[in-house]
Amino acid sequence: MELQAVLMAAGGGSRMTDLTYNTPKAMLPVGNKPLMWYPLNLLEKVGFEEVIVITTKEVQKAMSTDLKIKDVKMKLDVVSIQEDGDMGTADALRHIQPKIKTDILVLSCDLITDVALHEVVDLFRAHNATMAMLMSKAHEFTETVPGQKGKKKTAEQRDFVGVDKSGKRLLFMANEADLEDGLSIRKSIMRKHPRMLIKTGLVDAHLYCLKKAVVDFLTENKSISSIRGELVPYLVRKQFSKTVNSQKLKDDTDDQTQEKNDGPLLISSRDEPLLQLAQERSCWNDHRGDMSEAYHGGKLRCYVHIMDQGLCCRVNTLAAYIEVNRLAPKLFEEPSVHPSADISERCQMGSDSIIGAVCHIADKTSIKRSTIGNFTTVKEKVKVTNSIIMHGVTIEEGCNIQGSVICSNAVIGRGADLKYCLVGNGQHIEPEGKSTKNSSDRL
Amino acid sequence: MLSLIVSEGKDLTKEEKQRLRKEKKQQKKIKEKKDDKASQENEKEKKPVTSAAPASQPPTQPTPTKTKAELKAERRARQEAERASKQTKKGETGQQAATSKPKAPPSDLQPVVKRLPEHIQVDNPDVLKKLAKKLERQQIPLRSDYGYKVSLFSHLHQYSRKAPLTQQLSIPSTVIHPAIVRLGLQYSHGIVAGSNARSVALLHAFKQVIRDYTTPQNEELSRDLVNKLKPYISFLNQCRPLSASMGNAIKYIKKEISNIPSNCKEDEAKNKLLNCIESYINEKIILAGVAIAKCAIEKQKISDGDVILVYGCSSLVNHILCKAFEKNRKFRVIVVDSRPRLEGKEALRRLVQKGISCTYVLISAVSYILPEVSKVFLGAHALLANGYVMSRVGTSQIALVAKAFNVPVLVCCETYKFCDRVQTDSFVSNELDDPDDLIVTRKGTTPLEGWENESSLGLLNLVYDVTPPDFVDLVITELGMIPCTSVPVVLRVKNVDQ
């Protein structure tokens, strides 16, 4: 077995609480499919047969009733953890360490992408890397976000990512929050890689290929609790630490008796001398211009694949959620209207709208650039533009909904006029109500 | 051919014999057809073959759909009968000799079926179809050729590095062992390059395969493991064509596996195989290298004051030079390099790191620098049975220029790289590397950028070439120093040993 897939679906969606206080983030509908279906589909397409899903009991229950997730042909090994416990992603990995038998591919449930996964895994395989990850160029979100008064530019903490001149080897990674008075780069890195490109406009897709030794390392170092926040920067820094390079690993027995913290990280495989011989005899070097051998003799290597084309989006903010609802359906060639939906003939439906199952759309309605969830009822003379309507919603006659997000089981009263609003779960909007740019979940 | 012209009498008897043989064959055929077509025998009876035994009448099965087949069978039988009757009529005439002259020689002399390996028949669509079928059976994706191929080399594969084979494989690869997938990737990216490195890496991967192997029920390890290895070898071949050294290593392993006695327990057998692999690497690569270095240094092939020219990066030549330097021989080295691989830079780094004083030139300057040179040391990818040396492209040029300047050329090669192929030119069997490697960006411009759109432009990136034995003065192997023409002797001795 080469790789085991681990899907982290226990996240709370802390940056979009309006959407997630009733529906867990992993089950939010995107294009009428639950959010966690997308990474599962990616894994299935590529050929995985089993996935370990780490999630909460709530999500586990929701998964067992959801049709789309039942459609997934892979074997899902669901591990549930406490939702109130402050478990980070690395803690979760530590929790499932007994199940891990080979190298792992860690995904987050909020990743929607059409990346060719072999690009990331090939870097991991070919260079015998300790970690390989996926990043993508960030795109501006163009849609107006409901519930936000004015264009609020959240001061996002920037990520500084340093890569070598081939663009594949990861040399430096730090978040603005951790850098107090400026970015400092160690001389040892500059000596080995005199040309380094530092990029800031990248989105971390939270897709990591990690060696099994890293999981074993986590079980010994219980202080690391988040993969993204702590483990990855630690590994990137460790590539160039002195202890790693000045050691010449001789026997396997020597390794096992080492009491160093990073001992497990550098576990040498059997036949290390053969691999060493092959590398010595090979006339390949990853860099030119100095006297060191390939990889500068470093055993720990981190690689990154930066996508510049294609969709790669993490759905962890409201803006991202809206953007992705627009783009995700284009990834698949499914009919935009579910066969069980009941749509009357005099309804004007745009081609980029999606209608879910068992919907009732009455006459004289106009639905443009919107997503309508399952079991929704839309009565006459309703105009829905640019909106996302989740499951079980009832929209009475004469409503005008524009640029809004309406969560499950809400009821929009007759004649309501909503512009750029966010209606929470199970809310009732009173008839003839007029709201603009309102986030109404406490009405 | 001569036998026919000798005497009529002999011909006739031979002709008669052949005629009888043919008649018997036809009778057999018709009998078979009669047995196959179990319907409508009445019409067939009307087509007698001269001495055809009346076939038993199977019950008629009235199937109207068989009429077409039946008609075909009738026609065929009729033709056979006519042919047979013709032969009986024209039995003694000389025409018989004429008509069967073209037939006789093939049956006289056993036809030598020349089977060309498929990897040099890429422009033949039938061969490609066969290859596709074979790969499908082994569940390995077919790698498609890339770009326009220069016409002289259109019979070879040409792949692009940007389209790796792993694109079409499932990610946790189940069909192919992960160690082999990793190896294939490393071959196609060029991370493991050089025939020694490739063989060692291959044997290392095979060790992992053997460790993870379990004999299925009702199968013998000796047969099943060989079958398991076949798709892996096809996969590696698709990633990058196998080298001669790898081919010999694979032959050795297959032989060792099939020699495992059937009563051997699985663990024992696996241990035995792992030890075999270890000892192969130890003997043929590591110790052979040590022996060659010792030979070269002690027999004064590297003496004080020498100026040695090396080409590209050969692990064996580098090893010899480093060992000689350790033994305090005073010499300097000239490293000759060529595009697009620029392997000489790596050789330069390794030698300078040891402290050897080196000069670096490109191959275009070889005739300028050669008057300074006292010896040329070349590495080899393989030594062919007719004494030709197959090595990195450019080696034959260096040997030629050295010959013109009367500089001795020494080739260093371990015996496991000797192969019994015969080649006299570099066209028939070669390897085409990714043509995009030739594209270079200088000062912001890339002149060859849109080369695929030019219909009359082809980029050629050859990997190997062959050097005739007249240009090579000595081959240093672990068996000693032999002339190039003694290679078949060594091969014969090796075969006898095994």
Side-chain angles (χ1 to χ4, degrees):
Chain A
M1 259 272 276
E2 191 186 356
L3 273 183
Q4 272 177 292
V6 177
L7 183 67
M8 302 278 184
S14 49
R15 274 183 275 183
M16 36 189 206
T17 44
D18 303 328
L19 288 176
T20 56
Y21 81 91
N22 218 357
T23 331
K25 180 171 89 161
M27 299 303 289
L28 275 181
V30 172
N32 288 340
K33 303 187 184 73
L35 183 55
M36 68 191 292
W37 182 85
Y38 288 89
L40 286 176
N41 185 46
L42 176 70
L43 292 173
E44 189 178 339
K45 260 198 305 205
V46 151
F48 274 94
E49 282 164 22
E50 306 188 350
V51 182
I52 302 176
V53 181
I54 303 181
T55 181
T56 58
K57 288 209 174 55
E58 196 190 337
V59 174
Q60 192 173 9
K61 241 191 288 170
M63 270 172 66
S64 53
T65 53
D66 191 282
L67 288 170
K68 273 284 170 180
I69 299 219
K70 285 214 202 118
D71 256 350
V72 168
K73 292 189 192 68
M74 303 184 289
K75 184 170 127 243
L76 298 178
D77 180 8
V78 183
V79 173
S80 53
I81 57 173
Q82 297 287 42
E83 14 191 297
D84 48 349
D86 229 350
M87 244 201 184
T89 39
D91 296 324
L93 273 188
R94 206 174 294 129
H95 182 78
I96 58 166
Q97 194 258 346
K99 291 187 187 245
I100 308 267
K101 312 252 179 308
T102 72
D103 304 335
I104 56 174
L105 174 68
V106 181
L107 284 178
S108 171
C109 66
D110 57 7
L111 173 68
I112 299 189
T113 178
D114 61 352
V115 72
L117 211 53
H118 75 91
E119 306 254 5
V120 180
V121 182
D122 278 353
L123 282 175
F124 183 67
R125 289 164 173 154
H127 298 276
N128 210 5
T130 313
M131 177 192 82
M133 57 188 284
L134 174 68
M135 287 193 136
S136 158
K137 293 224 169 93
H139 297 285
E140 281 289 320
F141 295 138
T142 49
E143 308 277 341
T144 336
V145 180
Q148 256 183 14
K149 305 212 189 313
K151 281 219 162 168
K152 184 170 49 161
K153 274 225 167 109
T154 43
E156 289 280 331
Q157 298 280 332
R158 284 183 298 180
D159 269 327
F160 292 93
V161 179
V163 293
D164 75 342
K165 64 175 187 223
S166 71
K168 299 275 173 199
R169 179 93 189 261
L170 193 51
L171 302 174
F172 181 79
M173 175 172 288
N175 191 284
E176 202 173 337
D178 301 327
L179 304 169
E180 271 128 60
D181 29 285
L183 208 136
S184 54
I185 301 179
R186 289 163 62 174
K187 252 199 229 170
S188 58
I189 307 181
M190 294 306 319
R191 236 178 274 133
K192 292 181 183 157
H193 299 269
R195 285 219 181 129
M196 176 157 64
L197 290 160
I198 300 197
K199 305 188 179 216
T200 51
L202 292 180
V203 164
D204 181 354
H206 207 286
L207 191 151
Y208 307 107
C209 279
L210 296 168
K211 268 220 158 95
K212 178 168 184 308
V214 176
V215 183
D216 297 335
F217 167 74
L218 277 180
T219 45
E220 304 211 356
N221 290 52
K222 301 207 196 280
S223 58
I224 297 186
S225 71
S226 155
I227 298 183
R228 174 71 183 85
E230 293 166 42
L231 182 62
V232 170
Y234 176 79
L235 288 175
V236 174
R237 271 201 314 272
K238 216 45 190 174
Q239 288 178 99
F240 302 105
S241 78
K242 290 192 195 137
T243 46
V244 171
N245 292 334
S246 56
Q247 282 289 330
K248 264 219 155 170
L249 302 165
K250 293 214 172 114
D251 306 343
D252 281 7
T253 47
D254 275 350
D255 281 3
Q256 283 152 21
T257 54
Q258 257 177 16
E259 296 267 294
K260 292 229 168 103
N261 237 1
D262 41 78
L265 264 185
L266 302 172
I267 273 189
S268 44
S269 57
R270 279 177 287 193
D271 306 321
E272 176 75 16
L274 265 192
L275 270 184
Q276 196 67 17
L277 179 66
Q279 203 176 321
E280 269 172 40
R281 296 297 179 111
S282 168
C283 50
W284 176 84
N285 204 324
D286 65 331
H287 63 279
R288 277 201 185 131
D290 67 357
M291 280 292 156
S292 22
E293 48 185 357
Y295 307 125
H296 301 277
K299 304 264 173 206
L300 220 175
R301 303 183 273 276
C302 299
Y303 284 85
V304 63
H305 172 69
I306 301 182
M307 260 175 86
D308 47 0
Q309 284 174 349
L311 171 66
C312 174
C313 202
R314 284 203 63 206
V315 181
N316 48 10
T317 59
L318 190 50
Y321 178 72
I322 296 178
E323 181 80 12
V324 130
N325 255 297
R326 204 70 59 224
L327 298 171
K330 300 204 177 92
L331 285 181
F332 306 102
E333 291 182 2
E334 276 176 8
S336 46
V337 178
H338 199 275
S340 64
D342 167 30
I343 306 188
S344 75
E345 296 93 35
R346 289 204 276 161
C347 154
Q348 280 180 337
M349 211 186 70
S351 56
D352 36 0
S353 300
I354 304 181
I355 314 277
V358 197
C359 279
H360 292 281
I361 316 275
D363 293 341
K364 298 203 195 136
T365 49
S366 149
I367 301 177
K368 294 203 165 70
R369 294 188 82 214
S370 302
T371 311
I372 306 219
N374 305 332
F375 305 106
T376 25
T377 314
V378 178
K379 301 251 169 83
E380 285 95 4
K381 297 202 197 130
V382 168
K383 231 174 118 186
V384 180
T385 327
N386 259 341
S387 302
I388 300 169
I389 304 191
M390 298 201 201
H391 309 305
V393 172
T394 313
I395 305 182
E396 304 284 350
E397 293 118 15
C399 290
N400 182 0
I401 302 178
Q402 200 177 336
S404 306
V405 176
I406 309 210
C407 296
S408 313
N409 302 317
V411 175
I412 314 290
R414 196 183 295 182
D417 183 11
L418 299 169
K419 286 203 175 77
Y420 304 111
C421 289
L422 171 63
V423 177
N425 238 299
Q427 293 299 323
H428 289 257
I429 304 290
E430 58 214 29
E432 305 297 332
K434 223 179 180 194
S435 332
T436 314
K437 292 214 171 166
N438 230 343
S439 172
S440 58
D441 41 45
R442 282 168 229 95
L443 278 175
Chain B
M1 290 283 280
L2 290 170
S3 53
L4 277 174
I5 308 169
V6 164
S7 63
E8 279 284 293
K10 277 195 187 157
D11 281 1
L12 295 174
T13 46
K14 260 199 182 154
E15 295 306 324
E16 278 185 326
K17 276 189 200 158
Q18 282 171 18
R19 212 192 327 128
L20 282 169
R21 243 183 280 145
K22 277 184 198 132
E23 281 183 336
K24 274 190 201 152
K25 268 195 207 161
Q26 283 157 15
Q27 285 161 27
K28 254 197 205 166
K29 266 192 213 160
I30 292 179
K31 244 191 189 174
E32 279 176 34
K33 273 195 215 108
K34 278 197 176 168
D35 290 339
D36 284 353
K37 267 64 169 172
S39 57
Q40 290 91 12
E41 264 59 44
N42 303 326
E43 298 207 303
K44 279 196 186 148
E45 271 189 296
K46 290 184 197 158
K47 297 161 199 90
V49 178
T50 41
S51 40
S56 51
Q57 293 293 321
T60 50
Q61 289 162 13
T63 38
T65 52
K66 276 201 175 176
T67 41
K68 249 193 186 171
E70 178 212 349
L71 286 171
K72 249 193 180 172
E74 289 175 25
R75 241 181 289 134
R76 224 180 287 149
R78 224 182 296 140
Q79 280 173 5
E80 304 277 340
E82 280 175 7
R83 220 181 288 148
S85 53
K86 258 195 212 166
Q87 297 216 328
T88 46
K89 278 186 213 159
K90 299 175 188 173
E92 321 303 334
T93 54
Q95 277 181 347
Q96 183 75 331
T99 49
S100 48
K101 226 185 208 170
K103 289 186 199 162
S107 55
D108 269 0
L109 319 156
Q110 282 306 316
V112 178
V113 177
K114 284 234 173 67
R115 236 178 256 133
L116 292 168
E118 69 81 24
H119 68 272
I120 58 171
Q121 282 188 295
V122 173
D123 52 353
N124 186 348
D126 297 328
V127 171
L128 282 180
K129 256 191 249 171
K130 251 197 215 165
L131 172 69
K133 262 199 212 149
K134 175 178 121 183
L135 289 177
E136 214 181 323
R137 219 182 332 123
Q138 295 174 333
Q139 291 178 295
I140 294 179
L142 175 69
R143 201 169 180 193
S144 47
D145 283 358
Y146 165 75
Y148 171 71
K149 285 191 252 186
V150 172
S151 58
L152 272 174
F153 293 94
S154 57
H155 59 283
L156 299 169
H157 283 293
Q158 180 172 282
Y159 301 126
S160 165
R161 203 160 292 138
K162 291 196 217 108
L165 205 48
T166 49
Q167 229 170 1
Q168 304 159 49
L169 281 178
S170 69
I171 292 247
S173 65
T174 40
V175 174
I176 305 175
H177 192 276
I180 303 275
V181 176
R182 170 173 301 158
L183 188 64
L185 265 179
Q186 288 179 329
Y187 282 166
S188 60
H189 285 311
I191 296 176
V192 175
S195 57
N196 277 342
R198 288 212 275 165
S199 312
V200 172
L202 175 73
L203 291 169
H204 167 79
F206 275 175
K207 271 181 108 174
Q208 290 183 301
V209 169
I210 291 175
R211 270 207 203 96
D212 295 339
Y213 170 76
T214 47
T215 327
Q217 296 270 7
N218 307 331
E219 297 273 359
E220 266 189 44
L221 183 133
S222 54
R223 250 172 268 154
D224 188 56
L225 186 53
V226 177
N227 287 338
K228 271 262 161 51
L229 290 180
K230 280 200 190 135
Y232 299 162
I233 296 168
S234 306
F235 173 75
L236 292 175
N237 208 359
Q238 287 282 295
C239 289
R240 194 178 160 190
L242 297 180
S243 66
S245 53
M246 285 165 71
N248 287 343
I250 290 174
K251 260 190 233 160
Y252 173 78
I253 292 212
K254 281 193 178 165
K255 198 174 69 80
E256 286 297 318
I257 295 177
S258 34
N259 281 348
I260 293 214
S262 45
N263 56 358
C264 202
K265 268 192 271 185
E266 190 175 314
D267 288 331
E268 240 181 84
K270 285 210 254 187
N271 272 332
K272 188 159 169 283
L273 286 174
L274 294 175
N275 287 336
C276 279
I277 294 182
E278 279 280 330
S279 63
Y280 185 82
I281 296 180
N282 212 15
E283 272 175 33
K284 308 276 182 175
I285 302 181
I286 302 179
L287 290 178
V290 169
I292 293 177
K294 203 158 165 236
C295 198
I297 297 168
E298 285 179 3
K299 302 264 167 70
Q300 300 302 324
K301 293 301 169 203
I302 301 183
S303 29
D304 287 347
D306 256 346
V307 179
I308 299 179
L309 187 131
V310 297
Y311 178 64
C313 185
S314 162
S315 55
L316 186 55
V317 172
N318 291 344
H319 176 77
I320 295 176
L321 293 176
C322 293
K323 274 273 162 349
F325 191 72
E326 278 170 29
K327 298 243 169 86
N328 294 322
R329 295 271 195 274
K330 309 267 178 291
F331 60 92
R332 68 183 179 93
V333 176
I334 299 181
V335 179
V336 177
D337 202 7
S338 72
R339 273 195 66 220
R341 285 180 173 235
L342 292 174
E343 290 171 338
K345 289 193 178 175
E346 182 61 20
L348 187 68
R349 178 190 75 80
R350 289 177 196 198
L351 295 174
V352 172
Q353 205 180 24
K354 291 278 176 177
I356 304 174
S357 53
C358 300
T359 312
Y360 176 87
V361 291
L362 287 181
I363 193 169
S364 37
V366 118
S367 51
Y368 168 75
I369 202 109
L370 218 58
E372 296 180 18
V373 174
S374 62
K375 289 190 185 87
V376 175
F377 269 74
L378 297 173
H381 172 255
L383 240 60
L384 306 174
N386 55 350
Y388 278 64
V389 178
M390 184 172 183
S391 185
R392 186 68 79 218
V393 66
T395 316
S396 59
Q397 285 305 297
I398 305 244
L400 176 64
V401 179
K403 187 78 179 175
F405 278 87
N406 255 331
V407 173
V409 173
L410 293 89
V411 170
C412 311
C413 182
E414 298 98 335
T415 52
Y416 86 108
K417 289 185 196 161
F418 287 16
C419 75
D420 44 14
R421 257 203 330 211
V422 169
Q423 233 179 289
T424 51
D425 60 61
S426 322
F427 294 93
V428 164
S429 177
N430 207 324
E431 186 187 328
L432 293 178
D433 208 355
D434 191 348
D436 289 338
D437 284 349
L438 294 174
I439 300 179
V440 136
T441 308
R442 290 213 178 91
K443 294 192 186 167
T445 52
T446 317
L448 283 173
E449 204 159 7
W451 73 273
E452 301 102 14
N453 306 327
E454 294 282 339
S455 55
S456 48
L457 178 64
L459 295 190
L460 180 64
N461 191 355
L462 275 182
V463 182
Y464 299 117
D465 71 6
V466 284
T467 310
D470 341 343
F471 298 153
V472 176
D473 295 303
L474 197 64
V475 176
I476 311 181
T477 67
E478 71 262 27
L479 300 174
M481 306 207 191
I482 57 176
C484 235
T485 43
S486 308
V487 170
V489 176
V490 171
L491 280 172
R492 203 169 4 108
V493 169
K494 251 204 312 181
N495 286 340
V496 163
D497 277 344
Q498 290 167 357

